[in-house]
């Protein structure tokens, strides 16, 4: 089938309800992907992110698409086979959705939108949540089918009500231009466009579920008071949350908001320049970022570029460290649950990258029973992980006597310091509900 051929789909698409979803698996795959990425296993991380997106994790698609750019054609061919084999074991409708994504993106196969659409529609009829969303995207974009906003909005509604954050965000965009009915229970104030009020409603729901794109869009509306009261502080807070999650629109929106305020504060032009330079690494907003920097030229102080570049480098190092910290947490939990193989190898790599991780591992092992530590020691020794075995010997020798009792400490929680880095992208519900963030 040619890429430009129009596909005929019977409407309305009859989908099984309630839709099939598995949020826990989405979280597990996302955590696994972040751990693998921290140890530079790009292929393994891409496979994990592929499935986190398949099951609807809010950061899954962005993580998946970002790593896809790092894989060679040969690597993608290999990953495609592995994804298809794994999806076959999952059975339908998962295998249909996986095949649809591969054909839509052209990952390891010749790109074929016709086949992708048919796979999405078949999986949607079986009730697979992300396929319902993908079918809605097909109708809203007119991607090789006749564009139908009404059918798209209907499918977005089904997926959004079932918890699909991507559908919530797209339904908000449809609402903003009057293409979807407002699901808001209370009537909107007369001075606020009901379509914009509905958009804020869905963006708020998606943001509270952790969708970085929704955080950016909602923050932008709050900054300028579109569909809600003006809240510049809360709007900037949400857009920065979107930027932390690597949402490309967040950077350019922040740069635009700061550039509109350059006359109010001496430091705002530098903030605007910082976010514009961050946005330049994304092709979709690169030209807009360059244009904004040109407009800021007369407002920027001497030496601004060096200051901005140094800040970008520091921030990238912080992001890399946080990814490693989250990976350490995940692998320590896997080991505590009895998964010694791959988790031991990855944890050993991370421990060797910095003292901060070593201290967290020490705190973790202090909560294990001595017999568990000895098992890990012999495993690491037999696996030729001598440096890790030496670390365990050091830890065992430094444990207080009560750790060498015969009663296992299976109920002991992980230290609060360790748990505090597990979810760095949590959204402040006060801000999402249009209140200012608490101090």
């Amino acid at each position: 089938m040619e890429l430009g051929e129009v596909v005929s789909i019977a409407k309305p698409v009859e989908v099984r309800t309630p839709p099939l979803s598995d949020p826990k698996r989405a979280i597990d795959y996302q955590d696994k992907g972040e751990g693998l990425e921290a140890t530079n296993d790009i292929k393994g991380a891409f496979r994990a992110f592929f499935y986190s997106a398949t099951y609807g994790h809010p950061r899954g698609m962005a993580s998946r698409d970002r790593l896809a750019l790092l894989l060679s054609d040969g690597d993608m061919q290999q990953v495609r086979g592995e994804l298809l084999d794994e999806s076959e074991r999952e059975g339908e409708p998962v295998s249909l959705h996986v095949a649809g994504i591969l054909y839509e993106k052209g990952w390891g196969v010749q790109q074929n939108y016709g086949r992708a659409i048919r796979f999405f529609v078949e999986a949607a009829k079986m009730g697979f949540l992300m396929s319902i969303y993908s079918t809605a995207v097909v109708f809203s974009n007119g991607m090789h089918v006749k564009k139908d906003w009404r059918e798209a909005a209907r499918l977005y509604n089904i997926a959004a009500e079932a918890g699909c954050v991507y559908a919530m965000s797209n339904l908000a965009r449809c609402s903003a231009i009057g293409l979807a009915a407002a699901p808001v229970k209370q009537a909107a104030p007369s001075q606020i466009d009901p379509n914009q009020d509905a958009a804020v409603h869905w963006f708020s729901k998606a943001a509270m579920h952790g969708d970085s794109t929704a955080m950016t869009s909602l923050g932008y509306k709050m900054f300028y008071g579109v569909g809600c009261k003006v809240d510049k502080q809360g709007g900037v807070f949400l857009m920065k949350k979107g930027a932390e999650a690597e949402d490309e629109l967040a950077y350019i929106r922040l740069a635009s908001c700061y550039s509109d305020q350059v006359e109010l504060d001496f430091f705002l032009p530098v903030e605007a320049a910082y976010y514009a330079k961050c946005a330049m690494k994304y092709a979709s907003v690169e030209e807009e970022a360059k244009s904004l920097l040109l407009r800021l030229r007369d407002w920027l102080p001497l030496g601004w570029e060096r200051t901005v570049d140094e800040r970008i480098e520091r921030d990238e190092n912080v992001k890399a460290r946080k990814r490693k910290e989250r990976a350490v947490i995940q692998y320590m939990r896997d080991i505590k649950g009895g998964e010694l193989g791959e988790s031991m190898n990855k944890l050993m790599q991370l421990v060797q990258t910095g003292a901060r991780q070593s201290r967290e591992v020490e705190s973790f092992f202090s909560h294990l029973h001595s017999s568990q530590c000895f098992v890990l020691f012999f495993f690491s020794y037999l696996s030729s992980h001598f440096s890790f075995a030496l670390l365990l010997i050091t830890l065992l020798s430094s444990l207080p006597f009560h750790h060498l009792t015969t009663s296992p400490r299976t109920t002991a929680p992980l230290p609060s310091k360790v748990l505090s880095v597990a979810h760095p992208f949590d959204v402040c519900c006060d801000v999402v509900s249009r209140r200012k963030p608490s101090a």
Side-chain angles (χ1 to χ4, degrees), residues 318-343:
V318 169
K319 289 176 184 177
R321 192 194 72 230
K322 287 184 176 181
R323 282 196 294 268
K324 289 180 180 179
E325 289 173 355
R326 293 197 300 274
V328 165
I329 304 305
Q330 183 62 35
Y331 290 134
M332 288 191 297
R333 285 174 173 160
D334 291 345
I335 291 171
K336 193 171 184 179
E339 299 178 19
L340 299 181
E342 181 182 9
S343 297

Side-chain angles (χ1 to χ4, degrees), residues 35 90 92 103 122 126 131 157 213 222 224 242 244 268 273 275 285 313 321 357 375 403 415-416 424:
E90 295 283 337
E92 295 182 351
Y103 277 111
E122 286 303 310
M126 295 180 187
S131 291
N157 259 303
T213 302
M222 290 171 66
Y224 290 107
E244 286 179 23
L268 290 181
Y275 285 107
V285 293
E313 184 179 0
R321 192 194 72 230
Q357 281 79 30
V375 169
H403 285 102
S416 58

Side-chain angles (χ1 to χ4, degrees), residues 196-210:
Q196 295 297 336
D197 194 57
V200 168
H201 167 81
W202 282 115
F203 277 137
S204 297
K205 290 192 70 172
M208 292 180 71
H209 281 78

Side-chain angles (χ1 to χ4, degrees), residues 136-341:
V137 172
V138 166
F139 282 116
S140 62
N141 291 345
M143 186 174 70
H144 301 280
V145 300
K146 187 176 180 181
K147 185 178 290 189
D148 188 334
W149 283 108
R150 185 182 298 274
E151 181 67 3
R154 185 183 73 87
L155 293 173
Y156 279 141
N157 259 303
I158 293 173
E161 293 291 352
C164 177
V165 295
Y166 302 110
M168 294 175 193
S169 290
N170 282 12
L171 190 58
R173 295 183 183 93
C174 290
S175 299
I177 55 177
L179 296 173
V184 185
K185 294 181 180 179
Q186 297 181 351
S190 58
Q191 69 270 24
I192 295 179
D193 184 344
N195 291 325
Q196 295 297 336
D197 194 57
V200 168
H201 167 81
W202 282 115
F203 277 137
S204 297
K205 290 192 70 172
M208 292 180 71
H209 281 78
D211 182 17
S212 59
T213 302
M215 294 177 202
T216 299
S217 299
L218 178 60
Y220 194 69
K221 287 181 176 296
M222 290 171 66
F223 189 89
Y224 290 107
V226 180
C228 59
K229 293 181 179 179
V230 175
D231 183 355
K232 294 186 183 298
Q233 182 181 355
V236 167
F237 177 87
L238 281 176
M239 285 187 281
K240 285 184 176 180
K241 282 292 182 183
E244 286 179 23
E246 297 292 330
D247 178 45
E248 57 197 67
L249 283 178
Y251 291 112
I252 196 65
R253 292 281 173 85
L254 280 165
S256 176
C257 290
Y258 278 125
S259 67
D260 285 348
Q261 308 288 314
V262 292
E263 298 179 2
L264 304 180
D265 193 309
F266 175 79
F267 296 102
L268 290 181
V270 179
E271 282 294 301
Y274 165 75
Y275 285 107
K277 289 209 73 173
C278 288
M280 286 174 62
K281 62 184 177 183
Y282 300 102
S284 60
V285 293
E286 182 180 6
E287 291 304 318
E288 186 178 354
K290 289 180 179 178
S291 176
L292 194 149
L293 279 174
L294 285 175
R295 296 200 304 271
L296 289 169
R297 184 174 51 190
D298 294 337
W299 294 92
L300 290 167
L302 292 175
W304 70 269
E305 194 159 12
R306 178 179 176 182
T307 300
V308 166
D309 288 341
E310 289 175 350
R311 180 178 168 187
I312 290 174
E313 184 179 0
R314 286 196 308 270
D315 288 350
E316 289 298 323
N317 291 335
V318 169
K319 289 176 184 177
R321 192 194 72 230
K322 287 184 176 181
R323 282 196 294 268
K324 289 180 180 179
E325 289 173 355
R326 293 197 300 274
V328 165
I329 304 305
Q330 183 62 35
Y331 290 134
M332 288 191 297
R333 285 174 173 160
D334 291 345
I335 291 171
K336 193 171 184 179
E339 299 178 19
L340 299 181

